[in-house]
Amino acid sequence: MPSYYDWNTALIEHVTHGAPLGSTVYLEVSEDTLERVGVQRWGVPGDGGTWAGDFLAAVQESAVRAGRVDVSWMHGGDPQGWPLGVAFLGAMVLAASQMQTDVAAAVHERNYFRRLGGVLGVGVGSQGRPPGLPVGEEEPLWAAWVRFLRARGFDSTARGARGRSGSFVTRSVSRWCRRPSGRG
C-alpha cells in the first residue's frame, strides 16, 4: 500500500506535471482521479481494492490519532521542499466532490465538515468539525500549497480571506464545483 507520503507526491505531480507556467492548477480530487493516479503510478490495485480506498486508508493512518485529526506535522515540507499537507487537502477536496454527487446536501460548511469527518473516519465533534481540527487549522496547509505553486510559476484556485473562519473551505467547495473538467 502506498504511504501518505507516496500519495502526497503523486497528487502534486499529477496536478502540476505538464501544466504550462502561469496556468491555474486545480487540486481536483475525486474517486475517479484517485483511481487514475493509482493505476498510472502503481498499476491495478491488489486484493480487489480501489485506489480511492487505499488513499483514504493512507490519509486516515497518518492524519488521525486516537479518533482525532492531527495535521500539526504537515506544516512543513518534505526533503524536496514540497508541502506535506497536499494529500490531506486532497481528502478535503474529495469530501467536497462527494457533496456534488449528493443532491440532498446543500453546499454548506456544516454539511461539508460532516462529509469530511466521514472521509477521515472520525465523524464530527461538538463544534461541527472533525475532532482535532479546530477552525483555521487547515488554512496553513492551503497557504503552503499556494506558496509552493506560486514559487514554481503556477496559480492556484485556493484563496483565503483574512479573518474569515472556513474561508479556504468555502472556496475549496465552490472551486471544486466550478472546476473545468478534463484536467486533474
Side-chain angles (χ1 to χ4, degrees):
M1 171 174 100
S3 70
Y4 175 91
Y5 300 100
D6 295 330
W7 277 106
N8 197 69
T9 300
L11 288 177
I12 292 170
E13 289 177 351
H14 178 71
V15 300
T16 60
H17 182 75
L21 289 178
S23 66
T24 300
V25 172
Y26 295 85
L27 183 58
E28 188 271 326
V29 179
S30 65
E31 290 182 9
D32 289 341
T33 303
L34 294 169
E35 294 306 317
R36 190 168 48 252
V37 169
V39 167
Q40 289 171 353
R41 197 152 181 113
W42 301 292
V44 177
D47 300 330
T50 66
W51 286 119
D54 182 89
F55 169 78
L56 290 176
V59 170
Q60 290 170 2
E61 181 179 308
S62 295
V64 177
R65 308 259 188 277
R68 298 180 57 80
V69 176
D70 177 14
V71 297
S72 62
W73 64 273
M74 297 178 194
H75 292 269
D78 71 6
Q80 295 174 256
W82 292 12
L84 290 172
V86 177
F88 183 81
L89 298 176
M92 294 182 74
V93 175
L94 179 63
S97 78
Q98 291 175 348
M99 287 180 67
Q100 187 176 13
T101 62
D102 186 356
V103 177
V107 177
H108 186 277
E109 269 187 42
R110 184 174 38 246
N111 294 333
Y112 169 75
F113 283 114
R114 189 174 304 122
R115 184 71 68 165
L116 178 61
V119 162
L120 298 174
V122 297
V124 293
S126 60
Q127 300 295 316
R129 294 172 60 99
L133 191 66
V135 172
E137 185 72 13
E138 69 279 2
E139 292 195 22
L141 303 179
W142 284 112
W145 174 235
V146 170
R147 281 191 309 274
F148 172 82
L149 291 173
R150 288 189 179 150
R152 281 150 184 81
F154 300 115
D155 192 17
S156 171
T157 59
R159 303 276 188 270
R162 285 197 132 95
R164 288 190 50 212
S165 68
S167 58
F168 279 103
V169 170
T170 303
R171 283 161 177 75
S172 300
V173 172
S174 66
R175 297 287 182 196
W176 196 93
C177 292
R178 292 184 298 181
R179 84 202 184 292
S181 59
R183 173 84 181 129

